[in-house]
Amino acid sequence: MYDAVIVGAGAAGLSAALGTLRSVEIRGLLDAGIEPKILVISKLQPLRSHTGSAEGGIAASLGNVEADDWHWHYYDTVKGGDWLVDQDAARLLAQYAPQTVINLERDGVAFSRTDDGHIAQRRFGGHTRDFGGEPVRRAAYAADRVGHQILHTLWQQCVAAGVEFAEEWYVTDLALDADRSRVAGVVAYDTHTGDVHAIHARNVLLATGGAGRLFHTTSNSWDLTGDGMALALAAGLQLEDIEFVQFHPTGLAHTGILLSEAARAEGGVLRNADGEAFMATYAPEHRDLAARDVVSRSIMTEVDAGRGVADPKDPNGPKDCVWLDMTGIDKDHMEAVLPQVVETIRKYASIDPATDWVPIKPTAHYTMGGIPIDTEGRVYRWSRDESGNTGRNVVEGLFAAGECSCVSVHGANRLGGNSLLDACLFGNRAGLSMAARIAEHPTADPAGDEIGQADDEAYTALDAAATARKDEVTALLSRDDGADGEIADDNPYQVLADLGRVMERAVAVRCSADTIATALDTLQDEFRPRTNALHAHSDMAAFNQEITAIWESRHLVALAEAVLKASDARHESRGSLTRLDYPARDDERFLAHSMSDRDGILWQPVHIVDYPPKARAY
């Protein structure tokens, strides 16, 4: 039995762990001789978490380089999200961003510096002064490795604080009580031994990251398979705004590897096959530093118009790329502030960005939607009763943070620099919320309450889930020989590759009812039977990565269905979702969050506080 189990060890999970341990409540327990039991479970060694790949910056109105105001950041976040942002949450994001960045610095993040020693800041797409005016330098950065700096710093602080980690354990089940009102714990698979464990917990926080591997071309690492979102769906919970998946404009051609927005902030220019700097046509004021969805759509429009280029490594292939021209950036400056971008281009494209144009195309980058949470990190279900009354029903003891969650600060499109901020800020807030619950009933308190019948039933259900999962592992490891004595050739890696291509054709950057319907039929007719039939090709339980890959493939198929159905239900174009058959934004019917579960979709109104919807242009 644990006081809290945190699933995921990226910026959100580690921030939550630190927020919990540093809270007034937990310090009070420690002073009273009661030590809370907190466990962080990660399917990776924490320093391999995807946070480490974040490159460009973390947004905060520090005003270190030029005048800035958190109200401007607040407005830009709302506008960037195409008014699908809950403004009470966005206000907190912007208001506490400077404090978040300063606290990261105090913990040890080595930010780049101005000449006078302050944290350096650069421009990022969609960040402006004076409520939509000129671009402003708001992104605090550490060359182009800020995620690496933040991840290592948070991990070091957790190690110093004595946080307990279960590394390379894979969570397979989220256990709730019978009416889905309270969490009971998780089931986890130890990849080192092949053992399945039932982990009882009074509080669980999901911080498992995004789902970029839904798509063939993605900037996400292999581990971002939507696990936390799929666990929530399987437990009967909802996903909010899951149809909104951001495609970053500058993925290195056909590898999908991210070339940071910082490359354009430092002077990089997008050009079509004719050498034209085309963003001047689509976003006259902000050009290459318009919001990411605007730039990605503009690239695809150029490609569709026949002004795309082929990847030089595949000159006879499709002309589905454009050029990123960085030759106007001073070479020494480029090496100093964009070392990772330069190294990536040289290593994977075999060209020198100081002298050659770089082929790029939009790459699946960030999941705006996810597990619905309030501003304290508490997971809830949105419901409507027979009388039409609606409301949020909080799941007691269940929290989420980071990309797997949706507090709706990103709405329909995330601004660059806001993801690290979201993970650290709301991860910390969720940790503080958990700390308050832990202090009420710590497991190590000898005077604590006896276990109730409802708790006992939930924990019994958790143990049953663990037993069922053990039986499944045994079945997956058994050799399913056919009549010819050979194991079926299909495997989860091929399934994931095929699924990525289907999703890319269906909803990458643009979609229609026809593309969505085709993909849904393919999921039902092909992918569900394939994933259900998968078996491991080795009968060894220890270090058998195919076991977890099978679960990941099933998670992504379930998540793909949710993305497609939510995309189909939203009859408008907003932010990252471009419906070719519904090209206009429809505030009258769809200024609302989609709340998807296995039974269908409900609609939750957006929280409008300070900025009523208006036309969005850059």
Side-chain angles (χ1 to χ4, degrees):
M1 169 66 77
Y2 282 88
D3 287 295
V5 169
I6 296 170
V7 185
L14 298 180
S15 293
L18 289 173
T20 302
L21 292 174
R22 292 171 172 176
S23 66
V24 172
E25 292 86 350
I26 298 303
R27 290 202 299 269
L29 288 180
L30 293 172
D31 290 343
I34 299 173
E35 185 170 350
K37 294 184 64 179
I38 299 171
L39 176 68
V40 177
I41 302 176
S42 175
K43 72 175 182 179
L44 305 171
Q45 198 284 329
L47 293 181
R48 292 183 58 223
S49 299
H50 195 60
T51 296
S53 69
E55 298 177 356
I58 177 171
S61 56
L62 298 169
N64 287 349
V65 179
E66 53 192 12
D68 201 357
D69 188 305
W70 71 262
H71 295 87
W72 303 345
H73 185 189
Y74 172 24
Y75 173 82
D76 289 339
T77 298
V78 173
K79 177 184 174 182
D82 216 349
W83 272 270
L84 200 70
V85 171
D86 281 343
Q87 295 181 17
D88 53 340
R91 184 184 182 94
L92 289 171
L93 184 84
Q95 190 172 4
Y96 289 98
Q99 178 188 98
T100 301
V101 170
I102 290 169
N103 285 340
L104 286 170
E105 181 195 31
R106 289 171 176 168
D107 275 338
V109 175
F111 288 105
S112 296
R113 298 285 168 176
T114 62
D115 291 340
D116 60 358
H118 289 83
I119 295 172
Q121 295 180 274
R122 59 166 50 121
R123 292 178 179 176
F124 243 51
H127 291 279
T128 70
R129 64 172 63 252
D130 298 321
F131 304 100
E134 293 295 316
V136 68
R137 290 175 173 83
R138 183 175 294 148
Y141 62 95
D144 58 356
R145 297 183 177 125
V146 67
H148 177 91
Q149 281 284 334
I150 289 174
L151 179 63
H152 278 247
T153 297
L154 293 175
W155 178 76
Q156 289 166 349
Q157 291 292 337
C158 284
V159 170
V163 172
E164 181 183 355
F165 287 94
E167 298 179 356
E168 297 180 334
W169 285 34
Y170 186 91
V171 172
T172 60
D173 299 89
L174 171 66
L176 307 179
D177 63 4
D179 59 1
R180 296 175 300 192
S181 63
R182 182 185 301 181
V183 73
V186 298
V187 177
Y189 176 75
D190 180 357
T191 64
H192 295 187
T193 63
D195 294 330
V196 174
H197 300 275
I199 303 174
H200 298 240
R202 292 181 176 174
N203 300 279
V204 172
L205 183 140
L206 299 174
T208 56
R213 288 200 64 205
L214 279 170
F215 297 89
H216 174 67
T217 304
T218 177
S219 68
N220 289 185
S221 62
W222 281 74
D223 59 289
L224 287 190
T225 50
D227 302 316
M229 303 177 206
L231 290 173
L233 272 180
L237 301 178
Q238 297 167 324
L239 297 180
E240 178 177 356
D241 291 339
I242 197 60
E243 65 269 34
F244 294 105
V245 179
Q246 181 178 84
F247 276 71
H248 195 289
T250 52
L252 187 61
H254 304 304
T255 68
I257 298 173
L258 181 68
L259 300 181
S260 173
E261 199 160 299
R264 285 171 285 139
E266 298 294 341
V269 177
L270 294 171
R271 300 187 184 277
N272 59 22
D274 301 326
E276 176 190 5
F278 58 85
M279 283 308 302
T281 302
Y282 300 100
E285 293 186 18
H286 293 264
R287 301 195 178 200
D288 300 280
L289 285 177
R292 289 173 176 173
D293 63 316
V294 174
V295 181
S296 290
R297 276 195 302 274
S298 302
I299 291 172
M300 299 310 294
T301 301
E302 290 295 302
V303 169
D304 291 344
R307 294 187 290 271
V309 300
D311 181 359
K313 287 196 168 186
D314 184 19
N316 296 320
K319 296 183 177 180
D320 56 355
C321 305
V322 295
W323 298 116
L324 173 62
D325 175 12
M326 298 170 60
T327 60
I329 307 174
D330 177 77
K331 184 174 182 178
D332 292 339
H333 182 69
M334 187 190 303
E335 297 278 3
V337 300
L338 301 170
Q340 190 162 303
V341 169
V342 172
E343 180 184 358
T344 298
I345 294 169
R346 288 175 178 162
K347 183 174 182 178
Y348 293 100
S350 302
I351 58 179
D352 185 351
T355 57
D356 303 307
W357 292 357
V358 183
I360 58 95
K361 66 177 294 187
T363 181
H365 183 59
Y366 191 86
T367 314
M368 267 79 68
I371 304 165
I373 59 171
D374 61 19
T375 56
E376 307 309 312
R378 299 176 298 183
V379 175
Y380 66 88
R381 281 186 57 84
W382 178 258
S383 63
R384 177 184 290 112
D385 63 22
E386 295 179 356
S387 302
N389 299 316
T390 58
R392 294 180 170 185
N393 302 307
V394 171
V395 181
E396 188 177 341
L398 184 59
F399 300 82
E403 192 175 351
C404 76
S405 71
C406 183
V407 68
S408 203
V409 290
H410 307 307
N413 171 70
R414 176 178 66 79
L415 289 189
N418 273 358
S419 62
L420 288 171
L421 176 60
D422 171 17
C424 295
L425 194 157
F426 285 103
N428 180 72
R429 290 178 69 91
L432 294 175
S433 296
M434 279 203 306
R437 278 184 49 82
I438 292 170
E440 292 175 0
H441 301 289
T443 59
D445 185 357
D449 295 341
E450 293 293 324
I451 188 169
Q453 181 178 352
D455 289 324
D456 189 42
E457 291 174 353
Y459 296 138
T460 300
L462 171 63
D463 293 333
T467 300
R469 192 61 73 172
K470 289 177 184 177
D471 293 341
E472 185 196 23
V473 170
T474 300
L476 290 174
L477 292 171
S478 65
R479 298 179 65 88
D480 187 21
D481 293 343
D484 57 2
E486 294 184 0
I487 297 176
D489 289 334
D490 204 7
N491 63 78
Y493 309 104
Q494 187 61 54
V495 170
L496 291 174
D498 294 343
L499 176 65
R501 282 186 280 268
V502 168
M503 290 298 288
E504 202 142 298
R505 287 194 296 269
V507 289
V509 183
R510 62 208 175 211
C511 63
S512 68
D514 290 340
T515 64
I516 293 169
T518 299
L520 280 170
D521 289 342
T522 305
L523 283 184
Q524 185 64 34
D525 298 339
E526 177 184 343
F527 285 100
R528 285 201 177 279
R530 285 177 68 185
T531 56
N532 290 337
L534 289 172
H535 283 259
H537 286 71
S538 167
D539 59 3
M540 293 293 293
F543 295 104
N544 190 338
Q545 289 184 312
E546 195 172 12
I547 295 293
T548 53
I550 289 171
W551 290 327
E552 289 173 337
S553 69
R554 292 173 180 173
H555 284 167
L556 281 175
V557 168
L559 201 53
E561 182 177 11
V563 170
L564 291 168
K565 288 184 175 180
S567 300
D568 191 46
R570 187 175 287 277
H571 295 172
E572 66 163 353
S573 292
R574 184 187 297 269
S576 68
L577 181 69
T578 299
R579 288 286 304 257
L580 300 176
D581 44 357
Y582 296 99
R585 194 179 84 189
D586 185 352
D587 288 341
E588 184 174 340
R589 294 194 299 161
F590 293 105
L591 189 64
H593 303 297
S594 66
M595 308 296 292
S596 306
D597 62 15
R598 294 172 297 183
D599 299 324
I601 297 174
L602 298 176
W603 297 92
Q604 178 183 183
V606 175
H607 294 179
I608 305 294
V609 180
D610 298 302
Y611 304 115
K614 64 179 183 179
R616 175 172 175 257
Y618 289 94

